[in-house]
């Protein structure tokens, strides 16, 4: 067998001398990159093995990552991105004890044998996006106590075990966007006390009840492109969220206390069906960016604009604003700049709806008139 392999690689070299050039080392010997080579063709002298710190294997046309795939004991970064890998051997990475970053993006992996990461005590970043994961089993991440970054975006995840993420308590950034997630059990993220960034955009999430309650460190949360209809009160009350993206959902009313306005700096609510944003409790809020485009807003509470004194960018177009209320908003905030696209600046699209009233005094139960008037100009979401 061994003889055959050697013969095979010699033949490759003889017939096509450029094949070997597909594996390259940088002059400092630290980076080793291979494209189009099979795993058994990755060869280096024992001296070189010690020097290699970063390795990228692309387009390898292999279906399986075999046992101890790379004999580089000092390797810190490894990328195996072949499009074709389906199976990873339980001991594939056992000799890579100094590995800090493992990138298996763009393969066809749907699961791992339990314990596959057990020897990777130093691992900080794990990239698994663009694979075929449908479920995260309970012990998948056993051994990864130091992991701070995990990406599982662009998979087919729909199912969570409640304990899926229990073993990676140090995680700071978690990317679960572009999956098929519709339901998240309420305590799924509860052990992730260090989590700062969570991306759940492009899923099918309907409810976020009791999901974020104990996530004290969470700063950036992206829930855009889901099907959330309402926000529970106080779900974010313990977080210190700075950026919250809820755009492209099905929200209709934002109730008092459902947004963490004490800490939010950027709030994205565009492309929902919001007709009402209630708020009274907060005295001041540090909001800098607010996007309200493409909703059903007729007016904003006066307090909203007077208390958001840091507001720098407000996007309002494509709402059936009452013209009197809109004037009042402008008046309350002096020269707050509205970011309008050219068709609104040029007057091609109406920024507000004229009712036969003399002041901003909207009947919350009678908003349909406004929708009807503006419906002539745009398709009401
Ligand atoms: C080696 O790889 C690292 C990380 O990918 C890169 O930042 C660095 O510039 C590479 N070194 C050389 C000499 O190309
Ligand atoms: C996910 O959300 C985070 C935080 O909002 C954002 O910074 C990042 O660009 C998003 N990533 C992707 C892949 O959409
Ligand atoms: C949220 O994620 C979407 C898609 O992944 C991205 O386009 C958007 O920029 C993100 N929002 C923020 C505030 O980063
Ligand atoms: C309005 O603009 C003037 C300068 O043109 C500035 O001094 C003032 O602070 C601005 N007021 C607000 C509320 O932003
Ligand atoms: C204002 O308009 C409503 C219908 O939108 C109508 O019923 C009412 O009579 C009008 N009032 C005045 C003073 O024109």
């Amino acid at each position: 067998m061994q003889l055959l392999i050697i013969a095979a690689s010699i033949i490759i070299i003889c017939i096509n001398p450029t094949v070997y050039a597909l594996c390259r080392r940088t002059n400092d010997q630290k980076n080793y990159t291979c494209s189009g080579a099979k795993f058994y063709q990755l060869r280096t002298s024992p001296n070189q093995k010690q020097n290699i710190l970063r390795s990228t294997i692309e387009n390898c046309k292999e279906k399986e990552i075999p046992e101890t795939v790379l004999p580089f004991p000092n390797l810190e970064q490894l990328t195996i991105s072949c499009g074709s890998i389906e199976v990873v051997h339980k001991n594939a990475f056992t000799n890579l004890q100094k590995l800090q970053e493992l990138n298996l993006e763009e393969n066809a992996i749907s699961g791992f044998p339990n314990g596959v990461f057990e020897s990777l005590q130093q691992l900080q970043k794990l990239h698994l996006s663009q694979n075929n994961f449908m479920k995260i089993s309970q012990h998948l991440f056993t051994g990864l106590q130091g992991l701070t970054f995990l990406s599982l975006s662009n998979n087919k995840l729909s199912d969570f075990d409640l304990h899926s993420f229990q073993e990676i308590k140090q995680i700071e950034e978690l990317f679960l966007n572009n999956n098929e997630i519709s339901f998240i059990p309420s305590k799924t993220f509860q052990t992730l006390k260090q989590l700062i960034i969570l991306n759940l955009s492009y899923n099918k999430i309907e409810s976020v009840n009791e999901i974020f309650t104990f996530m004290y460190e969470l700063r950036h949360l992206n829930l855009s492109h889901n099907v959330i209809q309402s926000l529970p009160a106080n779900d974010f009350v313990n977080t210190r969220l700075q950026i919250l993206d809820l755009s492209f959902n099905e929200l209709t009313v934002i109730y008092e206390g459902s947004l963490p306005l004490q800490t939010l700096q950027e709030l994205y609510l565009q492309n929902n069906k919001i007709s009402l944003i209630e708020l009274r409790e907060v005295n001041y809020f540090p909001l800098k960016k607010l996007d309200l485009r493409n909703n059903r807003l007729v007016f904003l509470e006066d307090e909203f604009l007077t208390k958001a004194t840091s507001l720098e960018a407000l996007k309002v177009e494509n709402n059936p604003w009452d013209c009197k209320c809109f004037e009042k908003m402008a008046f309350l905030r002096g020269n707050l700049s509205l970011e309008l696209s050219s068709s609104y600046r040029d007057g091609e699209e109406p920024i507000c709806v004229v009712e036969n009233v003399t002041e901003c005094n909207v009947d919350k139960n009678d908003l349909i008139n406004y929708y009807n008037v503006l419906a002539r100009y745009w398709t009401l979401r």
Side-chain angles (χ1 to χ4, degrees), residues 75-103:
L75 202 65
E76 292 173 358
Q77 284 178 18
L78 172 61
T79 298
I80 300 180
S81 188
C82 296
S84 52
I85 304 284
E86 291 169 14
V87 176
V88 179
H89 193 282
K90 182 180 190 302
N91 293 324
F93 312 117
T94 39
N95 58 335
L96 304 178
Q97 291 175 7
K98 296 194 177 157
L99 206 61
Q100 292 168 10
E101 182 163 356
L102 176 59
N103 186 335

Side-chain angles (χ1 to χ4, degrees), residues 153-154 175 177-178 197-201 220-222 243 245:
S153 52
N154 293 87
F175 294 84
N177 50 288
N178 299 79
I197 298 177
L198 176 58
N199 199 332
L200 287 162
S201 63
H220 297 191
L221 175 60
N222 197 331
I243 302 178
D245 194 338

Side-chain angles (χ1 to χ4, degrees), residues 11 29 46 74 106 163 175 204 246 260 268 287 329 339:
I11 288 167
Q29 305 285 316
N74 294 315
E106 287 187 67
H163 306 290
F175 294 84
K204 297 174 177 164
L246 282 161
Y268 300 91
L287 206 59
M329 274 162 57
E339 287 183 18

